[in-house]
Amino acid sequence: MDSKKRSSTEAEGSKERGLVHIWQAGSFPITPERLPGWGGKTVLQAALGMKHGVLLTEDGEVYSFGTLPWRSGPVEICPSSPILENALVGQYVVTVATGSFHSGAVTDSGVAYMWGENSAGQCAVANQQYVPEPNPVSIADSEASPLLAVRILQLACGEEHTLALSISREIWAWGTGCQLGLITTVFPVTKPQKVEHLAGRVVLQVACGAFHSLALVQCLPSQDLKPVPERCNQCSQLLITMTDKEDHVIISDSHCCPLGVTLSESQAENHASTALSPSTETLDRQKEVFENTLVANDQSVATELNAVSAQTTSDNAVSSQQNIMGTTEISSARNIPSYPDTQAVNEYLRKLSDHSVREDSDHGEKPMPSQVLAKFYKIKVFLELNHVNFSLEILK
């Protein structure tokens, strides 16, 4: 019983399949009614404009109905039944599209045909207000050598423009207006041009409103997509902001992070101070070198003073006193702080020189070679405040 009921339902559906029902606004009935004058051919696709429509049958034929002001005969301007587009007879049409006042069709060989109103160049014909019958549109890729005809998969029509999706998934446009997506300000565009903004992307479908367009584009592979953070890593503020104005919205991605600038400056200062300030290990090494140099030079001075004292003809007490005095002074030199200042060293040298002169005058003796030699010795200390380097030189 159920199988019989199902088979009868399928038979009923097969009879109704492809039939066209329409309803209109105004004084017309609001319930769908069959299209007047339409026969029993199965319709695969239908498209509607402002006051006209196009039907594609299963055998690849195209019929137009409604108000058709671009038709040449007065009777055909508003036919009582759909009329066959004879220019497409012999071609197998696979898809149709309509704009507000024009129509388009694509054959199985990828050729696009346009007809209807052409005041804005939407039918890709120059200097012609109407295109009464379907006219083939020549679309060629000028970047290819030699020129290759572009095969079309789909059409979409607005009021003053037309978009075509090629078999290579690129968009071609013609007509008038920025809705074409072309880099031009010269209209109308009657020679189809490629929409370069989507070059290299895989376009799946195109659609048109009266004065706007849409493209459905395939997503990029996940590995090619880089996640865009919503907030700044430093101050947690939004990276993209929207500001509502009276008649427009401002979207800005210019984010200036004061915290990030501060961090950068402090890092630079730390790096500079590290470069200028030596490490503890470096200071210890420099201190050890300075002390070793001081001890070696003191020993050299003591050796020379003792040698000169042994050759003098003065009494042993004076020589011993001078030797002890020299040793005491040299020992005191060893007690110079690791970081002496220039003023202290100069004062020490002045006292040493005055002491030697005073001794010579007290004993009534001429300056001994040792004192003469000592007067020509200088102790030179170099201080580098930044690196705290010290060196001691004994010069003749």
Side-chain angles (χ1 to χ4, degrees):
M1 189 74 178
D2 293 337
S3 60
K4 289 182 180 179
K5 188 179 295 184
R6 188 181 306 111
S7 61
S8 61
T9 303
E10 290 177 356
E12 293 259 335
S14 63
K15 292 179 182 179
E16 294 293 328
R17 185 181 303 157
L19 297 180
V20 181
H21 290 74
I22 63 170
W23 62 99
Q24 303 180 36
S27 59
F28 295 94
I30 60 173
T31 57
E33 296 180 350
R34 289 195 177 184
L35 181 63
W38 181 246
K41 287 192 175 183
T42 302
V43 176
L44 299 181
Q45 184 185 2
L48 295 177
M50 290 287 289
K51 295 182 179 181
H52 79 289
V54 173
L55 303 176
L56 173 62
T57 64
E58 61 181 354
D59 54 4
E61 294 180 338
V62 177
Y63 291 80
S64 297
F65 65 93
T67 303
L68 311 173
W70 49 87
R71 305 290 294 192
S72 56
V75 179
E76 294 180 339
I77 291 178
C78 190
S80 58
S81 61
I83 58 174
L84 177 65
E85 296 293 348
N86 293 316
L88 294 174
V89 173
Q91 302 286 341
Y92 188 83
V93 178
V94 294
T95 183
V96 293
T98 57
S100 297
F101 302 100
H102 68 293
S103 304
V106 179
T107 65
D108 58 351
S109 59
V111 179
Y113 287 79
M114 302 298 302
W115 68 100
E117 186 174 325
N118 186 55
S119 58
Q122 58 265 54
C123 290
V125 177
N127 304 320
Q128 190 172 330
Q129 185 176 1
Y130 294 112
V131 178
E133 295 182 346
N135 181 68
V137 178
S138 176
I139 305 175
D141 191 353
S142 59
E143 296 179 358
S145 181
L147 292 179
L148 296 176
V150 177
R151 296 181 61 185
I152 301 302
L153 288 176
Q154 181 207 348
L155 287 175
C157 303
E159 183 161 330
E160 295 182 343
H161 73 293
T162 302
L163 300 182
L165 177 62
S166 70
I167 197 172
S168 57
R169 300 295 176 175
E170 296 174 326
I171 302 177
W172 296 78
W174 58 91
T176 299
C178 60
Q179 61 269 29
L180 295 177
L182 301 177
I183 308 174
T184 184
T185 57
V186 180
F187 301 109
V189 177
T190 57
K191 181 181 180 181
Q193 297 183 20
K194 186 190 299 185
V195 178
E196 298 292 347
H197 291 290
L198 293 174
R201 302 297 299 273
V202 178
V203 181
L204 303 178
Q205 182 185 351
V206 291
C208 292
F211 298 100
H212 61 294
S213 305
L214 178 144
L216 183 61
V217 182
Q218 186 178 35
C219 293
L220 294 173
S222 57
Q223 60 269 18
D224 295 339
L225 293 176
K226 295 182 179 179
V228 179
E230 294 183 358
R231 296 182 178 273
C232 176
N233 294 330
Q234 303 293 344
C235 64
S236 299
Q237 294 182 2
L238 290 173
L239 295 178
I240 300 177
T241 59
M242 290 193 303
T243 305
D244 292 331
K245 296 296 183 180
E246 294 181 356
D247 57 347
H248 63 281
V249 177
I250 300 176
I251 301 176
S252 173
D253 62 349
S254 57
H255 172 67
C256 180
C257 177
L259 183 58
V261 173
T262 304
L263 289 177
S264 300
E265 291 178 351
S266 62
Q267 291 173 358
E269 291 176 357
N270 292 337
H271 179 73
S273 62
T274 303
L276 292 176
S277 302
S279 62
T280 305
E281 182 180 356
T282 303
L283 291 175
D284 294 340
R285 193 183 310 113
Q286 292 171 349
K287 177 181 178 182
E288 181 180 356
V289 171
F290 168 73
E291 291 178 350
N292 292 337
T293 304
L294 181 63
V295 171
N297 291 332
D298 287 349
Q299 291 176 354
S300 176
V301 172
T303 302
E304 293 182 5
L305 289 176
N306 290 333
V308 172
S309 298
Q311 296 175 1
T312 59
T313 57
S314 61
D315 54 49
N316 294 333
V318 174
S319 298
S320 299
Q321 185 177 1
Q322 290 177 348
N323 194 17
I324 293 171
M325 178 88 49
T327 304
T328 303
E329 297 295 342
I330 293 172
S331 298
S332 64
R334 286 196 185 98
N335 295 327
I336 296 175
S338 299
Y339 304 98
D341 57 359
T342 306
Q343 184 177 0
V345 173
N346 291 335
E347 182 67 20
Y348 168 74
L349 293 176
R350 186 183 63 77
K351 289 180 180 180
L352 181 62
S353 178
D354 294 342
H355 178 73
S356 300
V357 172
R358 185 168 55 253
E359 280 187 346
D360 293 342
S361 61
D362 291 342
H363 291 83
E365 297 178 356
K366 294 182 179 181
M368 300 299 293
S370 59
Q371 285 91 11
V372 174
L373 186 62
K375 290 179 181 179
F376 285 93
Y377 283 93
K378 283 187 178 180
I379 299 175
K380 187 177 181 182
V381 178
F382 294 94
L383 299 176
E384 296 184 8
L385 296 180
N386 287 337
H387 296 283
V388 200
N389 292 332
F390 303 98
S391 62
L392 182 65
E393 296 183 4
I394 300 179
L395 305 174
K396 274 188 177 182

